Amino acid sequence: MIQARVIKPHDIEFFEVPAPEAKDLKDNEILLRIHKIGVCGSDIHVMHGQHPFVTYPVIQGHEYGAEVVAVGKDVTAVRPGDKATARPQLVCGECGPCRNGRPNVCEKLRVQGFQAPGCAQPYFVVPEDRIIRCAPHLSYEQIAIMEPCAVGIHASGRTDVKGKNVIVTGAGTIGNLVAQAVKGRGAKKVLITDVSDLRLEKARECGLENTANTAKESFEDAVKRVFGDEGFQCAFEVSGVQKCITDLVANIEKGSDIVIVAVFSKNPEVNLAVLDEHEIRLIGSMMYLHEDYLLADGMLADGRLNVDPLVTQRFGFKEYNEAYDCIDNHREECMKVMIDLEATE
Ligand SMILES: NC(=O)c1ccc[n+]([C@@H]2O[C@H](COP(=O)([O-])OP(=O)(O)OC[C@H]3O[C@@H](n4cnc5c(N)ncnc54)[C@H](O)[C@@H]3O)[C@@H](O)[C@H]2O)c1
Ligand SMILES: [Zn+2]
Ligand SMILES: [Zn+2]
């Protein structure tokens, strides 16, 4: 089979390697046929040589839709023919967080596609404890987007959003999915902000009706327009931009939570005097737990998550480099770029 490897920044090359075979599976292992791989922001950092925790060469691919080809003799979670994906987190199982049921922040966390080989090849083996059996009516593309959905679901579960007015700053793929997950969990009203009309248009296509372009309307005016005198009681920062965290801290109702989902490339300033006096809590959110994937599958299956508008471009497996060129040249227009492996062997 053909494997795609990032040899060095800006250079993906293809290598012929032996395909894993059913007869070599361990008792707890599953052989997958990879159909679609999604490209995400972190992959782009790897391609640009800007990911702090990656050494080259690296095999990418951590968001994927696959079909079960064969299973080891102890596997009961899936059967050949099932649609599936798997969590890309490799954890130690022994550290404090792992023992406390929080393996997403394992002290020795390695993520496939970054610190461990990813799935950029037609056949891939995963152990049963990371497999997700997906609703059969989901497409392989929808399943490939389950990973960022799980990010949104995990973040939206870090505080209680039920019945609250919620703001999500940043309408990229992750902000969009955080906002959809917040809505799906029963928030009263959700406002999503961005400085890109294109991204906000996508948000509306996904069913997020309250949007604001804060390059054109002030944050305070948008809050007033959407929530009236009620204000907002919960927020998610998903842009990584200083102004957003400043606006959120300054305007959120006293006693509320702000979940930080974005990775800030520059350490932002936060007004701790206001944080203190207003009893605002800043809460981190890192990837997901297995249950977040299961909820993502359920919310995709019942339509609470609408991911179809997020797929903006599609490329064949051998066009991996072209996919990244497209992302570099059309950053705003590119939301989820899909790599299609269906024609590969
Ligand atoms: N916590 C996690 O587990 C996790 C997982 C995946 C991604 N992330 C992080 O989430 C963030 C979002 O990811 P993404 O893929 O959606 O990125 P993205 O770059 O596509 O989205 C960021 C959005 O913020 C918008 N933005 C810029 N300035 C703004 C402003 N002043 N107000 C409002 N919006 C503004 C941009 O236009 C863009 O649409 C990134 O920082 C990423 O690293 C975190
Ligand atoms: Zn990703
Ligand atoms: Zn651990």
Side-chain angles (χ1 to χ4, degrees):
M1 66 175 182
I2 306 283
Q3 180 179 72
R5 283 183 218 160
V6 186
I7 298 304
K8 58 179 191 300
H10 304 285
D11 182 15
I12 291 180
E13 291 180 22
F14 297 89
F15 294 85
E16 181 69 40
V17 299
E21 290 184 42
K23 67 177 173 49
D24 299 324
L25 287 178
K26 295 192 187 119
D27 295 348
N28 69 329
E29 285 182 338
I30 297 152
L31 177 61
L32 295 174
R33 171 72 167 95
I34 306 291
H35 284 248
K36 308 276 180 177
I37 302 177
V39 176
C40 88
S42 308
D43 295 322
I44 299 166
H45 286 313
V46 171
M47 191 61 169
H48 287 172
Q50 290 166 346
H51 197 293
F53 308 114
V54 158
T55 51
Y56 301 85
V58 54
I59 304 165
Q60 294 195 301
H62 62 285
E63 314 179 350
Y64 50 97
E67 180 183 350
V68 175
V69 175
V71 299
K73 75 173 173 47
D74 291 346
V75 172
T76 57
V78 288
R79 286 185 305 205
D82 283 346
K83 289 179 177 176
T85 187
R87 265 185 312 113
Q89 298 150 307
L90 308 183
V91 303
C92 77
E94 291 166 1
C95 68
C98 278
R99 281 187 281 114
N100 290 322
R102 299 178 67 177
N104 59 319
V105 286
C106 169
E107 301 284 0
K108 294 182 179 159
L109 178 68
R110 292 183 305 139
V111 180
Q112 291 184 311
F114 300 91
Q115 299 84 26
C119 71
Q121 54 195 44
Y123 294 94
F124 193 57
V125 174
V126 297
E128 184 175 26
D129 64 334
R130 290 194 282 108
I131 198 86
I132 315 290
R133 179 171 179 265
C134 302
H137 68 277
L138 295 179
S139 70
Y140 287 116
E141 263 186 15
Q142 291 167 328
I143 293 170
I145 305 180
M146 205 171 282
E147 194 266 0
C149 288
V151 170
I153 284 170
H154 186 72
S156 65
R158 297 284 292 142
T159 180
D160 184 11
V161 298
K162 231 183 180 135
K164 293 180 180 164
N165 289 335
V166 180
I167 294 197
V168 177
T169 47
T173 303
I174 300 293
N176 181 305
L177 291 169
V178 168
Q180 290 196 51
V182 165
K183 213 177 147 189
R185 285 185 189 266
K188 184 175 182 192
K189 252 187 187 179
V190 183
L191 164 62
I192 187 164
T193 73
D194 204 291
V195 290
S196 156
D197 283 332
L198 260 168
R199 298 266 164 125
L200 294 170
E201 176 65 39
K202 280 287 173 196
R204 290 189 292 274
E205 269 182 62
C206 291
L208 299 163
E209 58 271 21
N210 300 306
T211 62
N213 185 331
T214 47
K216 298 178 177 170
E217 178 185 22
S218 80
F219 183 85
E220 292 78 5
D221 286 351
V223 170
K224 194 89 186 153
R225 171 170 61 78
V226 174
F227 301 128
D229 292 333
E230 289 180 10
F232 61 104
Q233 296 77 39
C234 182
F236 294 81
E237 202 319 277
V238 205
S239 71
V241 171
Q242 171 72 60
K243 179 167 185 310
C244 292
I245 187 69
T246 304
D247 284 343
L248 292 175
V249 170
N251 291 286
I252 198 166
E253 184 174 301
K254 289 184 177 185
S256 299
D257 291 349
I258 303 175
V259 180
I260 307 296
V261 187
V263 177
F264 281 78
S265 51
K266 188 164 172 281
N267 196 14
E269 277 183 22
V270 177
N271 189 333
L272 292 183
V274 173
L275 202 82
D276 182 39
E277 287 232 332
H278 294 196
E279 279 205 351
I280 295 167
R281 294 196 298 184
L282 288 187
I283 300 173
S285 185
M286 172 61 177
M287 298 184 84
Y288 30 67
L289 297 168
H290 201 75
E291 64 216 46
D292 296 311
Y293 257 88
L294 299 179
L295 197 50
D297 179 57
M299 285 173 86
L300 279 167
D302 69 18
R304 273 181 289 169
L305 293 175
N306 175 12
V307 294
D308 295 340
L310 296 177
V311 181
T312 47
Q313 286 84 11
R314 296 175 174 86
F315 290 88
F317 186 48
K318 288 296 199 67
E319 298 169 332
Y320 237 118
N321 285 296
E322 288 81 350
Y324 280 104
D325 288 344
C326 174
I327 292 169
D328 287 345
N329 295 326
H330 307 277
R331 202 36 97 79
E332 190 184 354
E333 292 88 339
C334 289
M335 299 269 298
K336 187 52 69 188
V337 173
M338 277 291 156
I339 306 291
D340 183 350
L341 283 83
E342 280 169 358
T344 57
E345 267 312 320

